């Protein structure tokens, strides 16, 4: 892909490469020696504490909380199979070289992907233009505390202490923190006022507080806290868009531990989210959500104005480079890509166009390139019916262009629309998108997507108190 955002490479210019490879070697040596899981996790915590002193000073609860959440998954996977440290650390992009691990279970698997790729036509004329909204990466923080400090020794702040000057956590939010409920509600209702036909929520309702176990929470309490944020976001979506179809996506932060998702059956997240999304999706879609997070359903509104349009939503955790269940190999977990190919084939046979949603963009550094190549092959084959691929995750205003790599012409086939976040975390202005599209199909097969408008708060610098409503308006 041509990407305006992250591409293949390493995170942080490889500064964490050596600590990563050494940590993996020490852990595997400890496992060979027969050390208990608890001892091995303690080794990881010690390495994390030592590295954080150099890279980004953190309080002792952060490394302990994160690694007690993730550590057992890492250790269990490493106990099954020896993994080369450089290979693993490059696979998760902490080392400069990029992993070339092939997707297990893909070679020799006949999915019946069409060999021909059809070039989409540019839009010519539309008699019935509608709009739909996309909100993503909300990262609501129900523990946000107005007046607290944005300067702390945790990865995310604005929950304790006393803020002064630039560190004051205002009524509307702060650029160093995830967002309070009032700002999320303000954004959703601003989008609702634009009267979209339907809404795409492309994932990540909970905040970036990945170290909860270090704060004394049990695993069950941490999971419930994550779910509470998903429930709150769902309720605000229903309030802001009454009677409007809403199509949600699982992000990498919905689970606890974050990013971690094993092959089905999933013991708590998907059954829980399927209940939260019960008012958004029909029973057949909820069944596949409960199974593994993906689903498909036609787009329909009460007046029947939208014709031949279908939503297909993927579970992106199967390409997530820090999903440690994938340490020993990348595979088509839950047969998701097989399902996608069959679903797109059926949509083409039924004469439907498709809006494809997933949380992590194909060309992002946090998505395994081998998975992305397979997904690119499938989406390219059906580019004539795919209206667009809608994602989030990066928090930035971006796009990717996917092309036909089977010929020297490199014909552009599809666009990945990467919407920016509602959260302000790490210095961003809250934002959402509104797309214009053709409600009906065109006889010549032209693209149904016409344009999009980026809507954002111009600056939070002047949004201090509840009275500063004018400054907190989305433009």
């Amino acid at each position: 892909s041509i990407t305006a955002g992250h591409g293949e490479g390493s995170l942080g210019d490889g500064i964490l490469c050596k600590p990563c490879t050494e940590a993996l070697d020490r852990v595997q040596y400890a496992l060979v020696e027969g050390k208990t899981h608890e001892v091995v996790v303690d080794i990881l915590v010690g390495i994390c504490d030592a590295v954080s002193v150099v890279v980004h000073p953190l309080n002792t609860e952060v490394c302990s909380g994160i690694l007690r959440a993730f550590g057992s998954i890492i250790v269990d996977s490493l106990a099954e199979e020896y993994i080369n440290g450089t290979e693993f650390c490059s696979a998760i992009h902490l080392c400069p070289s990029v992993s070339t691990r092939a997707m297990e279970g893909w070679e020799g698997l006949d999915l019946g992907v069409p060999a021909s790729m059809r070039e989409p036509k540019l839009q010519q004329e539309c008699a019935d233009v509608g709009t739909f909204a996309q909100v993503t990466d909300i990262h609501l923080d129900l523990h946000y505390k107005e007046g607290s400090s944005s300067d702390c020794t945790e990865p995310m702040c604005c929950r304790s202490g006393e803020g002064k000057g630039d560190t004051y956590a205002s009524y509307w939010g702060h650029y160093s923190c995830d967002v309070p409920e009032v700002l999320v509600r303000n954004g959703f209702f601003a989008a609702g006022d634009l009267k979209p036909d339907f809404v795409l929520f492309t994932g990540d309702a909970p905040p970036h507080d990945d170290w909860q176990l270090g704060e004394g929470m049990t695993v069950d309490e941490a999971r419930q806290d994550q779910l509470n944020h998903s429930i709150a976001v769902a309720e605000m979506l229903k309030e802001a868009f009454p009677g409007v179809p809403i199509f949600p996506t699982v992000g990498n932060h919905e689970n606890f531990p974050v990013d971690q998702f094993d092959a089905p059956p999933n013991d708590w997240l998907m059954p829980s989210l399927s209940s939260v999304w019960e008012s958004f999706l029909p029973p057949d879609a909820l069944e596949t959500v409960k199974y593994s997070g993906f689903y498909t359903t036609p787009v329909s509104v009460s007046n029947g104005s939208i014709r031949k349009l279908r939503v297909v939503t993927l579970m992106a955790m199967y390409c997530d480079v820090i999903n440690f269940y994938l340490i020993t190999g990348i595979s088509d977990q839950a047969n998701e890509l097989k399902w996608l190919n069959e679903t797109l084939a059926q949509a083409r046979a039924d004469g439907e166009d498709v809006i494809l949603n997933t949380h992590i963009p194909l060309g992002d550094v946090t998505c395994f390139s081998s998975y992305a190549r397979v997904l690119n092959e499938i989406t390219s084959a059906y580019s004539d019916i795919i209206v667009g691929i809608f994602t989030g995750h990066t928090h930035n205003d971006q796009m990717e262009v996917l092309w036909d790599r089977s010929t020297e012409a490199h014909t552009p086939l599809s666009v990945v629309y990467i919407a920016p976040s509602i959260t302000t975390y790490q210095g961003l202005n809250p934002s959402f998108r509104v797309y214009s599209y053709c409600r009906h199909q065109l006889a010549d097969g032209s693209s149904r997507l016409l344009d999009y408008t980026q809507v954002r708060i111009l600056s939070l610098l002047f949004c201090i108190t509840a009275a500063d409503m004018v400054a907190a308006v989305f433009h």
Side-chain angles (χ1 to χ4, degrees), residues 90-109:
S90 70
I92 64 173
H93 298 286
L94 292 181
C95 288
S97 59
V98 177
S99 170
T100 56
R101 287 192 296 172
M103 177 174 284
E104 291 183 358
W106 178 257
E107 293 182 6
L109 181 63

Side-chain angles (χ1 to χ4, degrees), residues 362-384:
L362 282 70
D364 189 70
V365 70
T366 59
C367 179
F368 278 115
S369 56
S370 53
Y371 176 102
R373 281 194 294 271
V374 175
L375 184 54
N376 189 20
E377 179 184 346
I378 295 172
T379 55
S380 295
Y382 294 97
S383 60
D384 57 309

Side-chain angles (χ1 to χ4, degrees), residues 20 22 31 54 72 76 113 126-127 183 209 233 336 364 367 427 429 461:
C20 178
E22 289 183 351
L31 288 171
V54 177
S72 61
D76 285 343
V113 177
C126 178
L183 181 58
D209 54 351
V233 166
E336 178 184 50
D364 189 70
C367 179
N429 288 316
L461 294 177

Side-chain angles (χ1 to χ4, degrees), residues 156-288:
M156 189 191 73
C157 307
C158 297
R159 291 180 165 189
S160 62
E162 183 179 351
K164 296 179 181 179
D166 292 342
T167 68
Y168 182 88
S170 78
Y171 176 81
W172 293 104
H174 192 283
Y175 285 122
S176 297
C177 307
D178 278 328
V179 288
E181 185 174 347
V182 63
L183 181 58
V184 176
R185 189 178 297 277
N186 196 29
F188 285 178
F189 275 86
D193 289 344
L194 299 176
K195 307 299 181 186
D197 292 341
F198 57 93
V199 179
L200 309 179
F201 164 45
T202 45
D204 274 8
H208 291 86
D209 54 351
D210 308 339
W211 66 94
Q212 288 129 309
L213 290 184
E215 295 184 327
M217 281 190 180
T218 65
V219 170
D220 286 343
E221 288 170 340
R223 287 178 171 179
Q224 187 60 52
D225 191 62
Q226 295 291 91
L227 189 61
N228 289 344
H229 286 84
S230 291
I231 292 170
V233 166
E235 289 301 315
M236 285 188 279
L237 284 169
K238 285 188 281 189
E239 291 174 29
F241 303 98
V244 176
I246 297 169
F247 303 105
T249 305
V250 180
N252 61 304
H253 277 267
E254 261 68 38
N255 203 1
F256 183 86
V258 298
D259 294 280
Q260 308 311 298
F261 200 85
D262 200 1
N266 181 271
D267 59 348
W268 83 277
L269 178 64
M270 298 326 306
S272 299
L273 276 186
S274 63
S275 296
V276 173
W277 294 348
E278 201 167 32
S279 61
F280 297 156
L281 301 173
D284 58 339
L286 288 170
E287 280 303 307
T288 55

Side-chain angles (χ1 to χ4, degrees), residues 406-435:
S406 64
T407 68
E408 293 183 1
H410 282 187
T411 304
L413 293 173
S414 300
V415 177
V416 181
Y417 297 92
I418 309 169
S421 61
I422 290 288
T423 187
T424 54
Y425 186 60
Q426 296 182 328
L428 298 171
N429 288 316
S431 190
F432 62 86
R433 281 183 182 171
V434 176
Y435 299 83

